[in-house]
Amino acid sequence: MQHLLTLADVSADEIAYLCANARLMKHKRGAIQPPALAGHTIALLFEKPSLRTRVSFEVAARELGANCLYLSPQEVGLNKREATADVARVLSRYVHCVVLRTFDHATVEEFAHSASIPVINGLTDAHHPCQGLTDAFTIVEQCEAQPHPIVAYLGDGNNCAHSLLQAGVKLGMHLRIATPPGYAPSAQVVAQAQCEAKRTGGSVTLMTDTQEAARGADVLYTDVWASMGQEAEIADRRAIFAPYRIDAALLALARPAAIVLHPLPAHRGDEIATEVIDGPHSRVFVQAENRLHMQKAILRRLLTTSQSALANLSA
Ligand code: CP
Ligand code: NVA
């Protein structure tokens, strides 16, 4: 694992390892630990806004002993002020890792191609691998009694859906993806996930009916109906996606102990009802916290010798 651009090529063992490492990071937070990333500098190059990804990476880097710097959309101008490949080459001479949040997924691929340091996708229009890893970790942590949980994703087949699919099937989860017609996840991502599912005992089922998705589920998951960059479509999407809201009636169809997840930011009353996100089934803020622990696991994996890092932590 040289870069983390999507979860397509991250193995099941690697995902399980990252989840185990994130769990250790969570339990050992606050304990005195050797600074695993002392002498490293991480650059966050963001072309879209962020709360969780930016802050969790900054705090993770600092708690591991690394320096961190944030480059805002106005500062660099990828492919506007300067060619993406040149920015990648220059940053590779200053810092040890770049977390890039951008629009077109091809930009992060181009950046990684020209960089000589690890590049982490901090979200593109097509993938959000750090979120997908955190979601897998949170589901494993919160649904411990279910080795093959049923995860119902409702709404837009977007970047978060793609990364959830890619991570979830590798851990043997059963993914039900309910979207309006025309908003299903990428056929290529689905086909690859269905192939993986055959090996892991999981499954991927696409549907349009929210009740079919929610019935008996262990996890209900939703995301915004209009992602960053789709602001012009908000009104149209609000009408199209209205039947896909997670509300109390839908939650009542899930297992009694079902949990509700959302990557945030959330729009109460749109994709998720207030009583659900703020209710007893919600694990949305645990999920947000877990971003921090997973970012540490990712940084350690990319910037230190992986197996010895986990062995040292466990000792
Ligand atoms: N979930 C997530 O990535 O949040 P931010 O956009 O605030 O980073
Ligand atoms: N799908 C959302 C996720 C935000 C974390 C977006 O891309 O805006």
Side-chain angles (χ1 to χ4, degrees):
M1 199 168 120
Q2 189 198 346
H3 303 294
L4 178 60
L5 305 188
T6 78
L7 298 177
D9 300 323
V10 181
S11 70
D13 283 352
E14 192 80 70
I15 292 176
Y17 167 79
L18 287 166
C19 290
N21 202 339
R23 194 183 183 99
L24 279 169
M25 290 290 153
K26 187 167 187 172
H27 290 301
K28 296 214 173 203
R29 191 174 184 211
I32 295 169
Q33 294 169 36
L37 299 187
H40 289 75
T41 298
I42 319 292
L44 307 180
L45 172 51
F46 278 31
E47 299 201 295
K48 291 174 175 173
S50 172
L51 173 66
R52 281 144 292 274
T53 308
R54 176 185 172 178
V55 178
S56 60
F57 263 115
E58 285 209 29
V59 173
R62 291 183 207 287
E63 289 188 4
L64 292 173
N67 295 310
C68 203
L69 57 95
Y70 173 73
L71 298 160
S72 71
Q74 292 74 35
E75 283 170 277
V76 176
L78 277 185
N79 260 348
K80 295 187 192 93
R81 181 170 185 265
E82 192 162 359
T84 296
D86 288 351
V87 176
R89 290 186 191 111
V90 171
L91 283 178
S92 296
R93 288 167 183 258
Y94 295 149
V95 303
H96 302 90
C97 176
V98 170
V99 182
L100 174 57
R101 171 168 286 202
T102 187
F103 291 85
D104 190 350
H105 190 75
T107 303
V108 83
E109 288 176 338
E110 185 189 356
F111 194 100
H113 182 74
S114 300
S116 52
I117 52 171
V119 175
I120 298 172
N121 174 3
L123 180 147
T124 62
D125 292 344
H127 294 278
H128 196 359
C130 302
Q131 183 68 55
L133 288 170
T134 301
D135 298 340
F137 169 46
T138 306
I139 293 168
V140 170
E141 177 190 58
Q142 299 290 320
C143 302
E144 240 169 353
Q146 296 288 352
H148 297 279
I150 299 171
V151 180
Y153 178 97
L154 299 106
D156 190 19
N158 61 16
N159 45 11
C160 287
H162 289 158
S163 295
L164 175 69
L165 261 177
Q166 291 180 327
V169 288
K170 286 182 179 156
L171 297 187
M173 296 177 191
H174 296 289
L175 279 299
R176 297 175 182 166
I177 313 288
T179 66
Y183 292 89
S186 134
Q188 190 203 347
V189 170
V190 171
Q192 196 207 18
Q194 282 171 332
C195 212
E196 291 276 355
K198 287 191 188 124
R199 282 206 293 270
T200 64
S203 62
V204 180
T205 314
L206 301 190
M207 54 192 74
T208 54
D209 185 334
T210 57
Q211 297 194 358
E212 186 187 348
R215 199 164 285 121
D218 298 292
V219 180
L220 296 188
Y221 190 120
T222 191
D223 184 20
V224 293
W225 291 338
S227 288
M228 292 179 276
Q230 296 174 329
E231 288 76 11
E233 299 173 38
I234 286 175
D236 288 350
R237 282 174 169 263
R238 192 170 268 147
I240 293 165
F241 284 95
Y244 289 81
R245 175 176 307 118
I246 299 184
D247 59 14
L250 202 65
L251 179 56
L253 298 176
R255 288 223 167 113
I259 63 165
V260 177
L261 299 179
H262 189 308
L264 300 175
H267 302 95
R268 288 172 170 76
D270 279 350
E271 73 273 6
I272 192 160
T274 301
E275 76 234 37
V276 173
I277 191 170
D278 297 328
H281 294 265
S282 173
R283 297 292 183 277
V284 162
F285 297 101
V286 174
Q287 182 187 9
E289 179 196 321
N290 284 346
R291 294 293 307 275
L292 169 65
H293 311 303
M294 183 52 78
Q295 314 301 34
K296 284 185 183 169
I298 293 167
L299 289 173
R300 289 170 59 94
R301 174 66 186 86
L302 287 171
L303 295 173
T304 66
T305 315
S306 62
Q307 296 306 326
S308 63
L310 184 62
N312 288 343
L313 247 192
S314 318

